[in-house]
Amino acid sequence: MATASVAFKSREDHRKQLELEEARKAGLAPAEVDEDGNAINPHIPQYMSSAPWYLKAERPSLKHQKKWKSDPNYSKSWYDRGAKIYQADKYRKGACENCGAMTHNANFCLERPRKLGAKWTNKHIAPDEKIETFELDYDGKRDRWNGFDAATYARVIERYEARHEARRKYLKEQQLKKLQEKNSKQNGEGEVSDVEEYDEDALRVDEAKVDESKQMDFAKVEKRVRTTGGGSTGTVRNLRIREDIAKYLLNLDVNSAYYDPKTRSMREDPLPDVDPNEKFYLGDNQYRMSGQALEFNQLNIHAWEAFEKGQDIHLQAVPSQAESLYKNYKIIKEKLKSRLKDTIMEKYGNAATEEEMPRELLLGQSERQVEYDRAGRVIKGLEMSIPKSKYEEDIYINNHTSVWGSWWKDHQWGYKCCQQTIKNSYCTGTAGIEAAEAAADLMRANISRKETSEDVPAPAQEKNLATWGSDVPDDLIIDQKKLAEALKKEDKRKKEENDERKRKYNVKWDDEITAEDMEAYRMKKIHRDDPMKEFLH
């Protein structure tokens, strides 16, 4: 067992050593340093920091915790791809017959097979490849990135930068075309003004408008929706995707908005100086002071006030009752307001209805302040917009001009534009409607014509079959006496089959079978589907 080499210490030295360790743990004394000058963590236990006795360590170190015995034969190098060592001028004996290299034969040659190899033409001799052998350690054999050149990733960056530049150039060209069309409309059919006269700011693509396409992608995310019926794949609105940045990473400044990790809340705006059109998250206070949060706060306040006035109401215990009472309270309050307004108008009159307001005042300026950006979008002062539905809207597929479900006929939904009831069908327009009506008329005409023509089928001729399965000959005559004898003979044969004791040792076989014998066999034969077969014997 490996034990640490500990020299003998007196009681006083041991006490000083313990005090020094406590001071190092408390941060009052500097940490211990190993052979390489690295500080050793004072909280590491002694059984880990002390080296085994056979290493004969004179100073404290943590090298014994790592792989301190390394094999010098192991290397971390890799193959020099595509390297050549020697270029011969003529074919050499034992070389590849196809290319002329000495490092492989014709079976392993990677060059295109020549019509006449280098062995016969003695031309275009390929250089010898550089063949290397490495002895890799355990980690080297399993290193998937061994031999990877990090400089090759620069090609990926260049490809993405070229794509971004092409996209930016395309957007700029589209902006120039729009400006030219706008200018041509203003000047009529006259001269088209030179594009160079516009300022650089007017020609530059609005960055907020470019980034808008990135922000619109979050509304369409293909994901699997879990339902009680087993789930179905569809397009839903996902407000939190994996590419979104966490709110505590939006601004890494220590003095920025405070993030509470326990409640995962950030009340203030982490980026107050950024354009509001370019950011998604505005702080939790923005959501608490807008939308349905205000209605919920009003419901809470109403429940508290009603409870203080003696009503048995509790929002958390019975939320449905609290919401119903709050709705009734708002209806009654509106009725009281309207009644009070009517009484005041009856007593004092309504000056607004007597005289119509001047058009200058009705369509004049207002004191409401609205701020716009360069693209014409409203930044501040606009009312809350109606949120979009989580389902797809106004998306027309397969050249249709109406959505699926805009037409109903014969308990089936369809498209109104072409009146087709197959969802994945291609729109045929009015031509398809006319063709469908013509096909329906033709079908009705065929049905009516079939009903009028009563074609009576010809009666089938019944064939009288003999007992042995062939047609009955016209000259076949069955003798009734022979038939009676054949019936008795068939009854006797069946009794012998049922009773084992009456079976004889020597069986006589008669190959001559007459028509009477076959008729008797048919008459005595029991059919499986005969309902009276149980009463025959």
Side-chain angles (χ1 to χ4, degrees):
M1 180 177 177
T3 56
S5 57
V6 180
F8 176 76
K9 294 182 181 179
S10 62
R11 181 177 297 178
E12 186 67 20
D13 294 340
H14 187 66
R15 184 180 62 81
K16 289 181 180 180
Q17 183 67 22
L18 291 178
E19 290 178 355
L20 180 60
E21 290 178 0
E22 292 295 331
R24 285 174 176 168
K25 291 179 180 179
L28 303 176
E32 197 173 7
V33 181
D34 60 0
E35 298 176 355
D36 300 332
N38 301 322
I40 300 176
N41 192 344
H43 298 281
I44 296 177
Q46 187 179 5
Y47 72 89
M48 293 178 63
S49 60
S50 57
W53 59 269
Y54 51 82
L55 294 180
K56 299 179 182 180
E58 298 179 357
R59 295 189 60 185
S61 176
L62 295 177
K63 285 185 176 181
H64 59 279
Q65 293 291 343
K66 299 180 182 179
K67 186 179 179 181
W68 51 276
K69 183 184 287 187
S70 60
D71 194 343
N73 296 326
Y74 290 153
S75 62
K76 295 184 178 180
S77 56
W78 198 245
Y79 301 100
D80 191 3
R81 297 179 180 177
K84 310 296 181 181
I85 53 176
Y86 178 70
Q87 174 70 52
D89 298 333
K90 58 182 180 179
Y91 180 78
R92 294 159 293 177
K93 186 178 180 181
C96 176
E97 297 178 357
N98 184 41
C99 65
M102 286 290 293
T103 50
H104 61 269
N105 54 15
N107 294 331
F108 298 99
C109 186
L110 299 178
E111 284 196 10
R112 177 182 59 83
R114 304 179 186 180
K115 189 175 182 180
L116 289 175
K119 179 179 180 181
W120 295 276
T121 60
N122 208 9
K123 294 179 181 180
H124 305 291
I125 305 297
D128 299 342
E129 295 90 355
K130 184 179 180 181
I131 298 178
E132 299 176 278
T133 55
F134 300 109
E135 188 176 356
L136 302 174
D137 55 355
Y138 182 85
D139 294 331
K141 293 177 181 178
R142 290 156 181 82
D143 187 7
R144 53 185 293 197
W145 295 102
N146 198 354
F148 174 72
D149 188 8
T152 57
Y153 193 73
R155 302 175 187 172
V156 180
I157 298 174
E158 290 176 0
R159 186 169 65 251
Y160 275 88
E161 286 180 353
R163 184 185 303 172
H164 178 71
E165 185 66 26
R167 180 173 177 272
R168 190 173 146 277
K169 187 177 179 181
Y170 174 75
L171 291 174
K172 192 169 183 179
E173 290 176 356
Q174 294 296 325
Q175 187 75 4
L176 287 172
K177 289 181 181 178
K178 289 181 180 179
L179 290 173
Q180 289 177 0
E181 291 176 359
K182 185 178 179 181
N183 189 26
S184 61
K185 288 180 182 179
Q186 290 178 357
N187 297 337
E189 297 180 356
E191 297 180 347
V192 179
S193 61
D194 193 1
V195 184
E196 296 179 357
E197 294 179 1
Y198 287 94
D199 296 336
E200 186 178 357
D201 295 337
L203 299 179
R204 189 165 55 87
V205 180
D206 192 358
E207 296 297 334
K209 190 173 182 179
V210 174
D211 294 339
E212 193 176 24
S213 61
K214 301 177 183 177
Q215 298 179 6
M216 292 300 290
D217 291 340
F218 83 101
K220 296 179 182 179
V221 178
E222 295 290 337
K223 63 176 291 189
R224 188 164 182 84
V225 185
R226 295 182 180 272
T227 60
T228 55
S232 62
T233 305
T235 304
V236 296
R237 185 174 184 181
N238 190 2
L239 298 179
R240 176 69 175 91
I241 57 179
R242 305 290 280 175
E243 288 79 9
D244 288 347
I245 302 176
K247 61 177 75 173
Y248 53 83
L249 296 178
L250 293 174
N251 192 352
L252 301 179
D253 189 5
V254 182
N255 299 323
S256 63
Y258 175 70
Y259 174 75
D260 185 11
K262 186 175 182 180
T263 59
R264 298 181 181 178
S265 60
M266 182 181 286
R267 303 294 177 87
E268 300 177 3
D269 189 0
L271 301 171
D273 300 330
V274 180
D275 186 6
N277 293 322
E278 297 182 358
K279 58 183 178 181
F280 285 109
Y281 185 70
L282 302 175
D284 293 342
N285 287 337
Q286 179 70 18
Y287 303 113
R288 292 174 61 196
M289 299 301 177
S290 61
Q292 295 182 349
L294 294 176
E295 298 179 5
F296 184 73
N297 291 337
Q298 294 293 333
L299 180 60
N300 250 329
I301 294 170
H302 174 262
W304 296 337
E305 292 178 352
F307 183 77
E308 289 177 356
K309 293 178 181 178
Q311 292 190 9
D312 189 11
I313 180 175
H314 197 280
L315 181 61
Q316 281 73 33
V318 192
S320 302
Q321 179 191 6
E323 189 173 358
S324 178
L325 290 175
Y326 181 58
K327 287 182 180 179
N328 295 335
Y329 165 75
K330 288 196 295 184
I331 293 171
I332 295 170
K333 187 177 179 181
E334 289 295 329
K335 288 182 179 179
L336 289 174
K337 277 186 178 182
S338 61
R339 191 182 304 171
L340 181 61
K341 183 179 179 182
D342 293 341
T343 54
I344 293 174
M345 289 175 65
E346 288 177 1
K347 186 174 182 179
Y348 299 103
N350 188 4
T353 57
E354 294 177 359
E355 197 174 314
E356 205 174 296
M357 292 289 291
R359 190 173 181 83
E360 292 80 7
L361 295 177
L362 289 174
L363 304 177
Q365 297 180 353
S366 62
E367 296 181 356
R368 191 178 69 171
Q369 183 180 0
V370 182
E371 294 183 15
Y372 300 90
D373 62 355
R374 292 185 300 169
R377 293 173 299 197
V378 178
I379 299 176
K380 293 181 181 178
L382 188 65
E383 297 179 358
M384 185 62 65
S385 60
I386 300 174
K388 291 185 178 180
S389 172
K390 67 178 180 179
Y391 303 102
E392 293 181 346
E393 296 179 1
D394 299 333
I395 294 178
Y396 306 113
I397 61 173
N398 295 337
N399 205 25
H400 289 284
T401 57
S402 59
V403 295
W404 168 260
S406 58
W407 188 66
W408 169 267
K409 185 179 181 182
D410 298 337
H411 303 281
Q412 285 184 335
W413 293 105
Y415 295 97
K416 187 179 180 181
C417 55
C418 57
Q419 296 183 2
Q420 294 197 46
T421 57
I422 301 174
K423 189 173 183 181
N424 293 330
S425 62
Y426 194 81
C427 183
T428 55
T430 56
I433 298 174
E434 295 174 358
E437 291 177 354
D441 296 340
L442 183 61
M443 179 67 71
R444 285 192 290 268
N446 292 336
I447 292 172
S448 62
R449 187 169 60 253
K450 187 176 181 180
E451 290 177 354
T452 55
S453 61
E454 296 178 357
D455 298 331
V456 180
Q461 295 180 0
E462 295 183 359
K463 292 184 178 180
N464 189 12
L465 299 178
T467 54
W468 47 85
S470 60
D471 296 340
V472 179
D474 296 335
D475 57 347
L476 179 63
I477 299 174
I478 297 176
D479 192 358
Q480 297 297 328
K481 293 182 180 180
K482 292 182 179 180
L483 180 61
E485 293 177 359
L487 288 173
K488 291 179 182 179
K489 186 178 178 181
E490 183 68 19
D491 292 338
K492 184 178 179 181
R493 186 183 66 80
K494 284 196 172 185
K495 286 181 182 179
E496 290 179 356
E497 287 182 357
N498 295 334
D499 194 358
E500 296 287 339
R501 295 173 298 177
K502 292 184 178 181
R503 180 181 295 178
K504 297 180 180 180
Y505 183 76
N506 295 322
V507 179
K508 294 182 179 179
W509 188 261
D510 189 5
D511 292 337
E512 296 181 357
I513 298 175
T514 62
E516 289 78 5
D517 294 339
M518 292 297 297
E519 187 68 18
Y521 173 75
R522 184 188 65 81
M523 294 173 64
K524 293 293 182 177
K525 182 181 179 182
I526 298 175
H527 296 278
R528 294 181 180 179
D529 299 333
D530 188 2
M532 301 296 293
K533 64 180 180 180
E534 301 293 337
F535 303 97
L536 294 178
H537 300 289

